[in-house]
PDB file of all heavy atoms in Angstrom:
ATOM      1  N   HIS U  11     120.516 121.867 158.756  1.00 92.00           N
ATOM      2  CA  HIS U  11     119.272 122.593 159.004  1.00 92.00           C
ATOM      3  C   HIS U  11     118.022 121.759 158.652  1.00 92.00           C
ATOM      4  O   HIS U  11     118.121 120.644 158.193  1.00 92.00           O
ATOM      5  CB  HIS U  11     119.256 123.953 158.313  1.00 92.00           C
ATOM      6  CG  HIS U  11     120.388 124.813 158.795  1.00 92.00           C
ATOM      7  ND1 HIS U  11     120.387 125.438 159.990  1.00 92.00           N
ATOM      8  CD2 HIS U  11     121.586 125.103 158.193  1.00 92.00           C
ATOM      9  CE1 HIS U  11     121.529 126.095 160.161  1.00 92.00           C
ATOM     10  NE2 HIS U  11     122.256 125.923 159.088  1.00 92.00           N
ATOM     11  N   PHE U  16     111.852 125.443 162.382  1.00 90.00           N
ATOM     12  CA  PHE U  16     112.958 125.881 163.232  1.00 90.00           C
ATOM     13  C   PHE U  16     114.244 125.296 162.678  1.00 90.00           C
ATOM     14  O   PHE U  16     114.224 124.329 161.931  1.00 90.00           O
ATOM     15  CB  PHE U  16     112.741 125.444 164.665  1.00 90.00           C
ATOM     16  CG  PHE U  16     112.600 123.944 164.832  1.00 90.00           C
ATOM     17  CD1 PHE U  16     113.719 123.174 165.178  1.00 90.00           C
ATOM     18  CD2 PHE U  16     111.387 123.308 164.674  1.00 90.00           C
ATOM     19  CE1 PHE U  16     113.602 121.799 165.336  1.00 90.00           C
ATOM     20  CE2 PHE U  16     111.308 121.917 164.835  1.00 90.00           C
ATOM     21  CZ  PHE U  16     112.386 121.174 165.141  1.00 90.00           C
ATOM     22  N   THR U  18     116.217 126.528 160.344  1.00 89.00           N
ATOM     23  CA  THR U  18     115.996 126.496 158.903  1.00 89.00           C
ATOM     24  C   THR U  18     117.146 127.091 158.074  1.00 89.00           C
ATOM     25  O   THR U  18     117.046 127.099 156.850  1.00 89.00           O
ATOM     26  CB  THR U  18     114.692 127.221 158.547  1.00 89.00           C
ATOM     27  OG1 THR U  18     114.704 128.516 159.134  1.00 89.00           O
ATOM     28  CG2 THR U  18     113.483 126.458 158.993  1.00 89.00           C
ATOM     29  N   THR U  21     119.022 132.253 153.960  1.00 93.00           N
ATOM     30  CA  THR U  21     118.335 132.417 152.677  1.00 93.00           C
ATOM     31  C   THR U  21     119.117 133.343 151.728  1.00 93.00           C
ATOM     32  O   THR U  21     119.598 134.387 152.146  1.00 93.00           O
ATOM     33  CB  THR U  21     116.942 133.011 152.897  1.00 93.00           C
ATOM     34  OG1 THR U  21     116.217 132.145 153.749  1.00 93.00           O
ATOM     35  CG2 THR U  21     116.180 133.148 151.572  1.00 93.00           C
ATOM     36  N   GLU U  27     119.348 127.665 152.357  1.00 95.00           N
ATOM     37  CA  GLU U  27     120.389 126.760 152.815  1.00 95.00           C
ATOM     38  C   GLU U  27     119.919 125.312 152.990  1.00 95.00           C
ATOM     39  O   GLU U  27     120.555 124.372 152.537  1.00 95.00           O
ATOM     40  CB  GLU U  27     121.047 127.288 154.108  1.00 95.00           C
ATOM     41  CG  GLU U  27     122.192 126.382 154.590  1.00 95.00           C
ATOM     42  CD  GLU U  27     122.824 126.946 155.868  1.00 95.00           C
ATOM     43  OE1 GLU U  27     122.364 127.927 156.413  1.00 95.00           O
ATOM     44  OE2 GLU U  27     123.849 126.344 156.278  1.00 95.00           O
ATOM     45  N   LYS U  44     126.769 104.148 144.944  1.00 91.00           N
ATOM     46  CA  LYS U  44     127.119 103.600 143.634  1.00 91.00           C
ATOM     47  C   LYS U  44     128.485 102.939 143.636  1.00 91.00           C
ATOM     48  O   LYS U  44     128.727 101.987 142.926  1.00 91.00           O
ATOM     49  CB  LYS U  44     127.080 104.721 142.601  1.00 91.00           C
ATOM     50  CG  LYS U  44     127.406 104.288 141.163  1.00 91.00           C
ATOM     51  CD  LYS U  44     127.340 105.455 140.199  1.00 91.00           C
ATOM     52  CE  LYS U  44     127.728 105.003 138.791  1.00 91.00           C
ATOM     53  NZ  LYS U  44     127.679 106.142 137.813  1.00 91.00           N
ATOM     54  N   LYS U  56     114.280 116.305 151.599  1.00 91.00           N
ATOM     55  CA  LYS U  56     114.508 117.712 151.932  1.00 91.00           C
ATOM     56  C   LYS U  56     113.418 118.265 152.818  1.00 91.00           C
ATOM     57  O   LYS U  56     113.588 119.323 153.418  1.00 91.00           O
ATOM     58  CB  LYS U  56     114.598 118.535 150.663  1.00 91.00           C
ATOM     59  CG  LYS U  56     113.326 118.742 149.897  1.00 91.00           C
ATOM     60  CD  LYS U  56     113.561 119.645 148.668  1.00 91.00           C
ATOM     61  CE  LYS U  56     112.267 119.902 147.910  1.00 91.00           C
ATOM     62  NZ  LYS U  56     112.468 120.784 146.748  1.00 91.00           N
ATOM     63  N   VAL U  59     112.198 117.215 159.115  1.00 94.00           N
ATOM     64  CA  VAL U  59     112.433 118.133 160.209  1.00 94.00           C
ATOM     65  C   VAL U  59     112.970 117.293 161.386  1.00 94.00           C
ATOM     66  O   VAL U  59     112.260 116.429 161.870  1.00 94.00           O
ATOM     67  CB  VAL U  59     111.187 118.903 160.627  1.00 94.00           C
ATOM     68  CG1 VAL U  59     111.442 119.751 161.826  1.00 94.00           C
ATOM     69  CG2 VAL U  59     110.707 119.783 159.450  1.00 94.00           C
ATOM     70  N   LEU U  60     114.185 117.566 161.829  1.00 95.00           N
ATOM     71  CA  LEU U  60     114.772 116.832 162.953  1.00 95.00           C
ATOM     72  C   LEU U  60     114.655 117.644 164.238  1.00 95.00           C
ATOM     73  O   LEU U  60     114.825 118.865 164.212  1.00 95.00           O
ATOM     74  CB  LEU U  60     116.239 116.510 162.667  1.00 95.00           C
ATOM     75  CG  LEU U  60     116.533 115.674 161.423  1.00 95.00           C
ATOM     76  CD1 LEU U  60     118.047 115.450 161.287  1.00 95.00           C
ATOM     77  CD2 LEU U  60     115.828 114.347 161.470  1.00 95.00           C
ATOM     78  N   ASN U  66     118.609 123.497 169.408  1.00 95.00           N
ATOM     79  CA  ASN U  66     119.405 122.493 170.185  1.00 95.00           C
ATOM     80  C   ASN U  66     118.871 121.114 170.001  1.00 95.00           C
ATOM     81  O   ASN U  66     119.634 120.147 169.953  1.00 95.00           O
ATOM     82  CB  ASN U  66     119.384 122.914 171.678  1.00 95.00           C
ATOM     83  CG  ASN U  66     120.369 124.020 171.983  1.00 95.00           C
ATOM     84  OD1 ASN U  66     121.254 124.323 171.143  1.00 95.00           O
ATOM     85  ND2 ASN U  66     120.204 124.676 173.124  1.00 95.00           N
ATOM     86  N   CYS U  76     124.303 110.017 164.669  1.00 97.00           N
ATOM     87  CA  CYS U  76     125.699 109.706 164.421  1.00 97.00           C
ATOM     88  C   CYS U  76     126.228 108.711 165.408  1.00 97.00           C
ATOM     89  O   CYS U  76     126.870 107.705 165.028  1.00 97.00           O
ATOM     90  CB  CYS U  76     126.554 110.987 164.465  1.00 97.00           C
ATOM     91  SG  CYS U  76     128.306 110.721 164.264  1.00 97.00           S
ATOM     92  N   ALA U  78     124.693 106.509 167.099  1.00 97.00           N
ATOM     93  CA  ALA U  78     124.045 105.214 166.954  1.00 97.00           C
ATOM     94  C   ALA U  78     124.642 104.465 165.758  1.00 97.00           C
ATOM     95  O   ALA U  78     124.867 103.251 165.850  1.00 97.00           O
ATOM     96  CB  ALA U  78     122.543 105.380 166.757  1.00 97.00           C
ATOM     97  N   VAL U 149     130.149 125.081 152.205  1.00 98.00           N
ATOM     98  CA  VAL U 149     130.461 124.989 150.784  1.00 98.00           C
ATOM     99  C   VAL U 149     130.807 126.354 150.173  1.00 98.00           C
ATOM    100  O   VAL U 149     131.649 126.475 149.320  1.00 98.00           O
ATOM    101  CB  VAL U 149     129.284 124.381 149.993  1.00 98.00           C
ATOM    102  CG1 VAL U 149     129.575 124.270 148.511  1.00 98.00           C
ATOM    103  CG2 VAL U 149     128.965 122.969 150.554  1.00 98.00           C
ATOM    104  N   PHE U 151     129.262 130.906 150.292  1.00 98.00           N
ATOM    105  CA  PHE U 151     128.421 131.932 150.909  1.00 98.00           C
ATOM    106  C   PHE U 151     127.144 132.158 150.115  1.00 98.00           C
ATOM    107  O   PHE U 151     127.166 132.557 148.968  1.00 98.00           O
ATOM    108  CB  PHE U 151     129.189 133.251 151.056  1.00 98.00           C
ATOM    109  CG  PHE U 151     130.163 133.247 152.200  1.00 98.00           C
ATOM    110  CD1 PHE U 151     131.398 132.581 152.063  1.00 98.00           C
ATOM    111  CD2 PHE U 151     129.841 133.833 153.405  1.00 98.00           C
ATOM    112  CE1 PHE U 151     132.281 132.569 153.144  1.00 98.00           C
ATOM    113  CE2 PHE U 151     130.719 133.819 154.479  1.00 98.00           C
ATOM    114  CZ  PHE U 151     131.954 133.156 154.345  1.00 98.00           C
ATOM    115  N   GLU U 157     128.531 133.396 144.141  1.00 97.00           N
ATOM    116  CA  GLU U 157     128.873 132.106 144.703  1.00 97.00           C
ATOM    117  C   GLU U 157     127.630 131.252 144.882  1.00 97.00           C
ATOM    118  O   GLU U 157     127.646 130.052 144.656  1.00 97.00           O
ATOM    119  CB  GLU U 157     129.625 132.285 146.053  1.00 97.00           C
ATOM    120  CG  GLU U 157     130.160 130.949 146.575  1.00 97.00           C
ATOM    121  CD  GLU U 157     131.363 131.148 147.461  1.00 97.00           C
ATOM    122  OE1 GLU U 157     131.226 131.742 148.568  1.00 97.00           O
ATOM    123  OE2 GLU U 157     132.447 130.730 147.056  1.00 97.00           O
ATOM    124  N   TRP U 160     126.760 129.847 141.621  1.00 97.00           N
ATOM    125  CA  TRP U 160     127.680 128.786 141.211  1.00 97.00           C
ATOM    126  C   TRP U 160     127.354 127.477 141.944  1.00 97.00           C
ATOM    127  O   TRP U 160     127.301 126.424 141.318  1.00 97.00           O
ATOM    128  CB  TRP U 160     129.135 129.175 141.504  1.00 97.00           C
ATOM    129  CG  TRP U 160     130.112 128.114 141.036  1.00 97.00           C
ATOM    130  CD1 TRP U 160     130.712 128.060 139.830  1.00 97.00           C
ATOM    131  CD2 TRP U 160     130.532 126.982 141.764  1.00 97.00           C
ATOM    132  NE1 TRP U 160     131.498 126.937 139.752  1.00 97.00           N
ATOM    133  CE2 TRP U 160     131.406 126.253 140.927  1.00 97.00           C
ATOM    134  CE3 TRP U 160     130.272 126.464 143.032  1.00 97.00           C
ATOM    135  CZ2 TRP U 160     132.020 125.057 141.298  1.00 97.00           C
ATOM    136  CZ3 TRP U 160     130.865 125.272 143.435  1.00 97.00           C
ATOM    137  CH2 TRP U 160     131.725 124.581 142.587  1.00 97.00           C
ATOM    138  N   CYS U 162     124.460 126.519 143.203  1.00 96.00           N
ATOM    139  CA  CYS U 162     123.187 125.998 142.692  1.00 96.00           C
ATOM    140  C   CYS U 162     123.355 125.279 141.362  1.00 96.00           C
ATOM    141  O   CYS U 162     122.682 124.280 141.103  1.00 96.00           O
ATOM    142  CB  CYS U 162     122.162 127.138 142.507  1.00 96.00           C
ATOM    143  SG  CYS U 162     121.555 127.848 144.058  1.00 96.00           S
ATOM    144  N   ASN U 164     126.180 123.853 140.330  1.00 96.00           N
ATOM    145  CA  ASN U 164     127.269 122.859 140.352  1.00 96.00           C
ATOM    146  C   ASN U 164     127.210 121.886 141.547  1.00 96.00           C
ATOM    147  O   ASN U 164     128.215 121.500 142.124  1.00 96.00           O
ATOM    148  CB  ASN U 164     128.622 123.589 140.389  1.00 96.00           C
ATOM    149  CG  ASN U 164     128.926 124.284 139.096  1.00 96.00           C
ATOM    150  OD1 ASN U 164     129.442 123.695 138.155  1.00 96.00           O
ATOM    151  ND2 ASN U 164     128.582 125.583 139.022  1.00 96.00           N
ATOM    152  N   ASN U 170     131.037 115.521 143.884  1.00 95.00           N
ATOM    153  CA  ASN U 170     132.164 114.729 143.375  1.00 95.00           C
ATOM    154  C   ASN U 170     133.473 115.146 144.000  1.00 95.00           C
ATOM    155  O   ASN U 170     134.348 114.308 144.269  1.00 95.00           O
ATOM    156  CB  ASN U 170     132.224 114.812 141.872  1.00 95.00           C
ATOM    157  CG  ASN U 170     131.306 113.827 141.169  1.00 95.00           C
ATOM    158  OD1 ASN U 170     131.571 112.635 141.128  1.00 95.00           O
ATOM    159  ND2 ASN U 170     130.213 114.315 140.625  1.00 95.00           N
ATOM    160  N   ALA U 171     133.651 116.445 144.238  1.00 95.00           N
ATOM    161  CA  ALA U 171     134.863 116.929 144.885  1.00 95.00           C
ATOM    162  C   ALA U 171     134.963 116.384 146.301  1.00 95.00           C
ATOM    163  O   ALA U 171     136.027 115.935 146.732  1.00 95.00           O
ATOM    164  CB  ALA U 171     134.889 118.471 144.890  1.00 95.00           C
ATOM    165  N   CYS U 177     137.077 109.657 149.726  1.00 89.00           N
ATOM    166  CA  CYS U 177     137.272 108.300 149.196  1.00 89.00           C
ATOM    167  C   CYS U 177     138.248 108.350 148.028  1.00 89.00           C
ATOM    168  O   CYS U 177     137.830 108.182 146.848  1.00 89.00           O
ATOM    169  CB  CYS U 177     135.933 107.704 148.736  1.00 89.00           C
ATOM    170  SG  CYS U 177     134.728 107.564 150.021  1.00 89.00           S
ATOM    171  N   ILE U 191     130.093  97.132 144.381  1.00 86.00           N
ATOM    172  CA  ILE U 191     130.077  97.561 142.967  1.00 86.00           C
ATOM    173  C   ILE U 191     129.380  96.525 142.083  1.00 86.00           C
ATOM    174  O   ILE U 191     128.578  96.861 141.222  1.00 86.00           O
ATOM    175  CB  ILE U 191     131.508  97.831 142.490  1.00 86.00           C
ATOM    176  CG1 ILE U 191     132.096  99.087 143.200  1.00 86.00           C
ATOM    177  CG2 ILE U 191     131.546  98.032 140.966  1.00 86.00           C
ATOM    178  CD1 ILE U 191     133.573  99.225 143.038  1.00 86.00           C
ATOM    179  N   ASP U 200     122.963  88.136 145.579  1.00 82.00           N
ATOM    180  CA  ASP U 200     123.129  87.662 146.980  1.00 82.00           C
ATOM    181  C   ASP U 200     124.448  88.136 147.520  1.00 82.00           C
ATOM    182  O   ASP U 200     125.403  87.362 147.679  1.00 82.00           O
ATOM    183  CB  ASP U 200     123.045  86.119 147.000  1.00 82.00           C
ATOM    184  CG  ASP U 200     123.026  85.568 148.410  1.00 82.00           C
ATOM    185  OD1 ASP U 200     122.988  86.385 149.363  1.00 82.00           O
ATOM    186  OD2 ASP U 200     123.081  84.342 148.590  1.00 82.00           O
ATOM    187  N   ASP U 213     130.946  78.805 142.492  1.00 89.00           N
ATOM    188  CA  ASP U 213     130.442  80.178 142.581  1.00 89.00           C
ATOM    189  C   ASP U 213     131.385  81.178 141.934  1.00 89.00           C
ATOM    190  O   ASP U 213     130.990  82.083 141.207  1.00 89.00           O
ATOM    191  CB  ASP U 213     130.215  80.576 144.035  1.00 89.00           C
ATOM    192  CG  ASP U 213     129.109  79.802 144.708  1.00 89.00           C
ATOM    193  OD1 ASP U 213     128.119  79.489 144.032  1.00 89.00           O
ATOM    194  OD2 ASP U 213     129.249  79.509 145.911  1.00 89.00           O
ATOM    195  N   ALA U 228     128.762  95.403 127.458  1.00 83.00           N
ATOM    196  CA  ALA U 228     129.051  96.820 127.540  1.00 83.00           C
ATOM    197  C   ALA U 228     129.861  97.285 126.332  1.00 83.00           C
ATOM    198  O   ALA U 228     129.646  98.399 125.786  1.00 83.00           O
ATOM    199  CB  ALA U 228     129.819  97.128 128.810  1.00 83.00           C
ATOM    200  N   GLU U 229     130.801  96.452 125.863  1.00 82.00           N
ATOM    201  CA  GLU U 229     131.613  96.806 124.722  1.00 82.00           C
ATOM    202  C   GLU U 229     130.824  96.820 123.419  1.00 82.00           C
ATOM    203  O   GLU U 229     131.179  97.510 122.484  1.00 82.00           O
ATOM    204  CB  GLU U 229     132.804  95.840 124.602  1.00 82.00           C
ATOM    205  CG  GLU U 229     133.817  96.012 125.713  1.00 82.00           C
ATOM    206  CD  GLU U 229     134.955  94.992 125.615  1.00 82.00           C
ATOM    207  OE1 GLU U 229     134.778  93.979 124.901  1.00 82.00           O
ATOM    208  OE2 GLU U 229     135.990  95.198 126.282  1.00 82.00           O
ATOM    209  N   LYS U 230     129.741  96.054 123.377  1.00 79.00           N
ATOM    210  CA  LYS U 230     128.923  95.984 122.150  1.00 79.00           C
ATOM    211  C   LYS U 230     127.947  97.135 122.056  1.00 79.00           C
ATOM    212  O   LYS U 230     127.373  97.390 120.969  1.00 79.00           O
ATOM    213  CB  LYS U 230     128.156  94.663 122.125  1.00 79.00           C
ATOM    214  CG  LYS U 230     129.046  93.447 121.868  1.00 79.00           C
ATOM    215  CD  LYS U 230     128.270  92.166 121.934  1.00 79.00           C
ATOM    216  CE  LYS U 230     129.171  90.953 121.658  1.00 79.00           C
ATOM    217  NZ  LYS U 230     128.430  89.671 121.807  1.00 79.00           N
ATOM    218  N   LYS U 231     127.692  97.852 123.152  1.00 70.00           N
ATOM    219  CA  LYS U 231     126.738  98.960 123.126  1.00 70.00           C
ATOM    220  C   LYS U 231     127.320 100.218 122.475  1.00 70.00           C
ATOM    221  O   LYS U 231     128.479 100.435 122.525  1.00 70.00           O
ATOM    222  CB  LYS U 231     126.266  99.268 124.560  1.00 70.00           C
ATOM    223  CG  LYS U 231     125.443  98.194 125.179  1.00 70.00           C
ATOM    224  CD  LYS U 231     124.995  98.564 126.582  1.00 70.00           C
ATOM    225  CE  LYS U 231     124.119  97.492 127.191  1.00 70.00           C
ATOM    226  NZ  LYS U 231     123.692  97.826 128.551  1.00 70.00           N
TER     227      LYS U 231
END
Side-chain angles (χ1 to χ4, degrees):
H11 301 286
F16 59 95
T18 51
T21 302
E27 182 178 6
K44 180 180 178 181
K56 71 177 182 179
V59 175
L60 300 180
N66 281 344
C76 177
V149 180
F151 283 78
E157 187 152 69
W160 184 91
C162 290
N164 291 275
N170 275 287
C177 300
I191 292 167
D200 187 6
D213 293 324
E229 289 177 346
K230 289 176 180 177
K231 292 181 179 179

